[in-house]
Amino acid sequence: MSTTDTDTGTGRTKDPATAKRHIGVSADGELGEAGSQLSTAPVDTAVPGSFGGSRAPGVLGWLTWTGREVVGWARWFWRQLTSMRVALILLFLLSLGAIPGSLIPQSGTDAQKVADFKDAHSILGSVYDKLGLFHVYSSVWFSAIYILLFVSLIGCIVPRTWQFVGQLRGRPPGAPKRLNRLPAYATWRTGAEPEQVREAALKILKQRRFRAHIEKDAVAAEKGYLRETGNLLFHIALIVMLVAFAWGQLFKSEGNKLIVEGDGFSNTISQYDDFKSGNLFSTDDLTPFSFNLKKFTGTYERTGPNKGTPRTYQADITYSVGAYGKEKKTTVKVNEPLKIGDSKVYLTAHGYAPVVTVRDGKGNVVYHDAVPMLPLDPNVTSQGAIKVMDGYKNAQGTSEQLGFSAFFVPTFAGAGKGDMFSQFPALDFPVLALSGFHGSLGVDAGIPQNVYQLDTSKMKQFKDAKGNIVKARLLPGETMKLPNGAGSITFDKGIKEWANFQVTQQPGSDWALVGAFTAIFGLAGSLFIQRRRVWVRAATGADGVTVVEMAGLGRSESAKLPEELGDLAALVHDQAPTKPDTDEAAVETDPDAEPSVPAAEGAEK
């Protein structure tokens, strides 16, 4: 602990080089209780030897010795597990173990990516699978680290909390016998009575928010309990965050739903396009609500370097809670979700859904709907598929299925000015490019398909009499005729927009946020607040003059302790000023006396 001399009046100061560096123990053990319990940190223990001691003869002696060994080693392992060093190691391992969960596809998040990875890396995929790297957060090794860290923090906090409560209920320890052995020290002689000095010191220390009391011939004071409070809050906050994280992972749910303007959604699993949840989640945990997308509004920057950047993204919806809830209107924007109970409805994506009408060779409408297109670039160049699965018959009267591969651009560059790539995300010059197929879509096999792609393995492409592929670029209101009286497809003038909503339900997120903020404030308190003790002793010296001694002791080295002690000593000195020596008084009262010549520096007197 770096110290500075503290000089008050003509008071003497101790040499800081003689300050004892280790808290709680002086060179000859004189601090005792005065230097103890400045922290509730458990005492670290070295690797033990034999706990059993001497073994008595016989079976009973062996059993007794074995019991002592088992209990001793169990206590030692428990102390190691609950030590700060092991907690930090486990926290580091937990952070290290989370890295694969960010870099490697996870089965709980995207099972398709996991399958693709295994197909592309047969050997590495098998190794990852055995190590549990495709499901890191539910793996045995990650759970073991998580549980050990949890136990370590609990085992560390509980005894420290009880110890700290005991310290708060108690009083600061009395002054040690030799205050001049402490890191910060000041002394002077005063004409005030010892009781007056102690009362003045007690008042000053309490005004400085010290816990202080008079014990025997000294005032004992202590300050900085918020350091240990912050330390305990930090550890408790870590436990809260761990519990909140585990709770959220076990009971979370997350689903996505694409909704076209005019359509609705009810919060049931069958309504989602994709859905994933935690291990302990059940369908009964879903918040009952429904909503309808009335209108989506998107505006974009028209000029400048940010041309095409969205300026407005919002979905106007009506929603109701429960089976018979009253319908309400609201607007969902990016990063402004709709909150219903424990669920949040986020707006995550947007696109266009051209309305098309398909007719058979007799002019009968066999399909009429808005077809969502999947955006491929920021200008909303979109791809999709139109699938007519039922109700269509060809010119020969045979039932078939139709499929159209579609590209949609909201702003076309113009004929001869480029391919099907949009120039702007708004509906300035919409064009729909189509090419048709007939046969079997393969949906009757029961195998899930991508709604934005066609499976043409069992289909034939429409061709004209010359063998050319039938395809067309349609403007709103235009129709593409299919060859041989197969029918037609019309790009209707009504173009709808769609919005993708993500419905999340993650309990414990609020607790995790509270824990994070509490941990930050607790850590700040434990780092920047110093716990320290101050003693003021006032006793009558051998010559009948009161001798005042002040000393301070901190938990760690800090230059602020001597400075604070100096300020306190100055305040006490104002109440009990230094008494001048007799010779100096004589000089002041006898004007005819010859001035004394001070001895040379270092000379003996």
Side-chain angles (χ1 to χ4, degrees):
M1 178 180 296
S2 60
T3 58
T4 58
D5 290 347
T6 304
D7 189 10
T8 305
T10 59
R12 297 179 287 107
T13 63
K14 73 175 290 296
D15 183 3
T18 63
K20 183 61 184 175
R21 305 287 177 167
H22 300 287
I23 303 303
V25 181
S26 65
D28 54 359
E30 290 182 355
L31 289 184
E33 185 183 357
S36 66
Q37 295 184 345
L38 272 171
S39 170
T40 57
V43 179
D44 196 9
T45 57
V47 177
S50 173
F51 292 101
S54 301
R55 185 190 305 180
V59 177
L60 182 60
W62 182 85
L63 291 175
T64 303
W65 179 86
T66 303
R68 290 198 299 264
E69 281 287 296
V70 171
V71 173
W73 279 103
R75 287 178 177 175
W76 182 82
F77 278 115
W78 175 254
R79 288 172 182 171
Q80 299 306 307
L81 179 61
T82 57
S83 66
M84 184 60 63
R85 178 179 62 254
V86 173
L88 291 175
I89 292 174
L90 291 172
L91 189 61
F92 173 75
L93 291 177
L94 193 69
S95 304
L96 196 65
I99 294 177
S102 303
L103 302 178
I104 300 174
Q106 299 295 292
S107 57
T109 304
D110 197 331
Q112 185 61 44
K113 284 188 177 180
V114 174
D116 294 341
F117 186 91
K118 290 181 178 180
D119 293 339
H121 309 85
S122 57
I123 298 177
L124 190 60
S126 177
V127 173
Y128 283 1
D129 198 14
K130 292 180 179 179
L131 294 176
L133 298 183
F134 291 122
H135 49 91
V136 169
Y137 303 112
S138 60
S139 62
V140 175
W141 57 269
F142 190 86
S143 300
I145 297 174
Y146 196 91
I147 293 173
L148 284 175
L149 178 59
F150 188 82
V151 173
S152 177
L153 290 173
I154 291 290
C156 181
I157 289 174
V158 172
R160 293 183 67 170
T161 301
W162 284 116
Q163 183 180 350
F164 184 55
V165 170
Q167 293 178 14
L168 292 177
R169 295 178 63 184
R171 287 184 167 189
K177 294 181 179 179
R178 303 183 63 180
L179 291 177
N180 59 351
R181 288 184 175 271
L182 297 184
Y185 175 78
T187 182
W188 70 93
R189 292 154 54 87
T190 180
E193 295 296 328
E195 293 79 5
Q196 296 176 349
V197 177
R198 289 192 288 267
E199 291 295 337
L202 180 64
K203 182 178 180 181
I204 291 171
L205 288 169
K206 287 185 175 181
Q207 289 175 347
R208 290 297 187 96
R209 296 187 300 277
F210 278 83
R211 292 182 64 204
H213 70 103
I214 298 176
E215 184 172 343
K216 298 181 180 179
D217 61 347
V219 178
E222 189 168 3
K223 188 178 182 181
Y225 290 91
L226 286 179
R227 177 190 180 96
E228 193 62 30
T229 303
N231 195 9
L232 293 174
L233 282 178
F234 172 74
H235 289 82
I236 293 173
L238 287 181
I239 293 179
V240 171
M241 292 173 63
L242 290 174
V243 172
F245 177 77
W247 188 268
Q249 290 297 313
L250 291 173
F251 292 94
K252 72 174 182 178
S253 67
E254 180 180 301
N256 290 279
K257 179 63 177 179
L258 185 149
I259 304 177
V260 180
E261 289 177 329
D263 292 344
F265 166 79
S266 180
N267 192 25
T268 59
I269 292 181
S270 60
Q271 289 275 304
Y272 285 100
D273 295 330
D274 63 83
F275 184 85
K276 53 182 177 288
S277 61
N279 296 333
L280 299 182
F281 178 84
S282 67
T283 55
D284 296 335
D285 296 327
L286 287 173
T287 305
F289 68 90
S290 60
F291 66 88
N292 291 280
L293 175 60
K294 296 300 182 181
K295 181 178 178 56
F296 180 88
T297 304
T299 60
Y300 308 90
E301 194 70 46
R302 288 283 178 178
T303 58
N306 295 324
K307 181 180 178 181
T309 303
R311 299 189 62 182
T312 303
Y313 255 26
Q314 63 182 41
D316 297 326
I317 67 173
T318 59
Y319 72 97
S320 61
V321 181
Y324 306 101
K326 185 179 179 181
E327 195 173 76
K328 302 177 182 178
K329 294 182 180 180
T330 189
T331 299
V332 180
K333 301 179 181 179
V334 177
N335 296 326
E336 296 182 16
L338 169 64
K339 299 179 181 179
I340 305 175
D342 294 332
S343 298
K344 293 182 180 180
V345 181
Y346 292 90
L347 174 64
T348 58
H350 155 260
Y352 294 102
V355 180
V356 297
T357 301
V358 180
R359 293 178 172 85
D360 61 13
K362 297 181 179 180
N364 298 320
V365 176
V366 294
Y367 183 89
H368 176 75
D369 203 354
V371 182
M373 296 288 173
L374 182 66
L376 302 177
D377 60 27
N379 286 328
V380 203
T381 301
S382 306
Q383 178 186 18
I386 303 169
K387 300 179 182 182
V388 181
M389 293 178 283
D390 300 306
Y392 173 78
K393 292 183 179 181
N394 58 21
Q396 289 75 33
T398 304
S399 295
E400 277 190 320
Q401 293 177 333
L402 297 180
F404 297 88
S405 179
F407 275 87
F408 176 79
V409 291
T411 302
F412 185 52
K417 295 183 180 180
D419 297 325
M420 286 292 292
F421 287 98
S422 179
Q423 306 300 306
F424 194 74
L427 289 171
D428 293 345
F429 189 3
V431 172
L432 179 65
L434 298 171
S435 61
F437 298 81
H438 63 99
S440 175
L441 291 169
V443 295
D444 297 332
I447 301 175
Q449 288 187 353
N450 190 329
V451 296
Y452 302 103
Q453 294 180 350
L454 285 177
D455 180 7
T456 60
S457 60
K458 297 180 181 181
M459 304 188 79
K460 295 180 180 180
Q461 197 163 15
F462 282 108
K463 296 182 180 180
D464 59 16
K466 297 181 180 180
N468 297 321
I469 296 174
V470 177
K471 57 183 180 180
R473 290 177 178 174
L474 305 179
L475 296 175
E478 295 184 341
T479 300
M480 181 179 78
K481 294 290 185 180
L482 301 178
N484 303 322
S488 65
I489 180 170
T490 301
F491 177 21
D492 295 345
K493 292 185 177 181
I495 301 175
K496 294 185 178 182
E497 300 187 47
W498 59 260
N500 190 78
F501 295 93
Q502 184 182 76
V503 182
T504 63
Q505 189 169 328
Q506 187 159 1
S509 57
D510 293 337
W511 283 104
L513 182 62
V514 171
F517 278 107
T518 304
I520 292 173
F521 286 113
L523 183 61
S526 65
L527 291 177
F528 298 110
I529 298 175
Q530 184 188 18
R531 189 169 173 185
R532 62 273 194 200
R533 290 171 179 165
V534 173
W535 293 275
V536 182
R537 172 174 286 144
T540 304
D543 56 355
V545 178
T546 301
V547 177
V548 182
E549 292 181 288
M550 293 187 66
L553 179 65
R555 181 176 179 271
S556 58
E557 296 184 6
S558 174
K560 294 183 179 180
L561 178 62
E563 294 176 3
E564 185 176 30
L565 184 69
D567 294 338
L568 293 171
L571 294 174
V572 177
H573 183 266
D574 291 340
Q575 301 295 322
T578 303
K579 180 180 181 180
D581 292 338
T582 305
D583 294 341
E584 294 176 355
V587 170
E588 293 177 0
T589 56
D590 188 0
D592 297 330
E594 295 183 1
S596 60
V597 180
E601 184 177 355
E604 294 184 359
K605 299 179 65 175

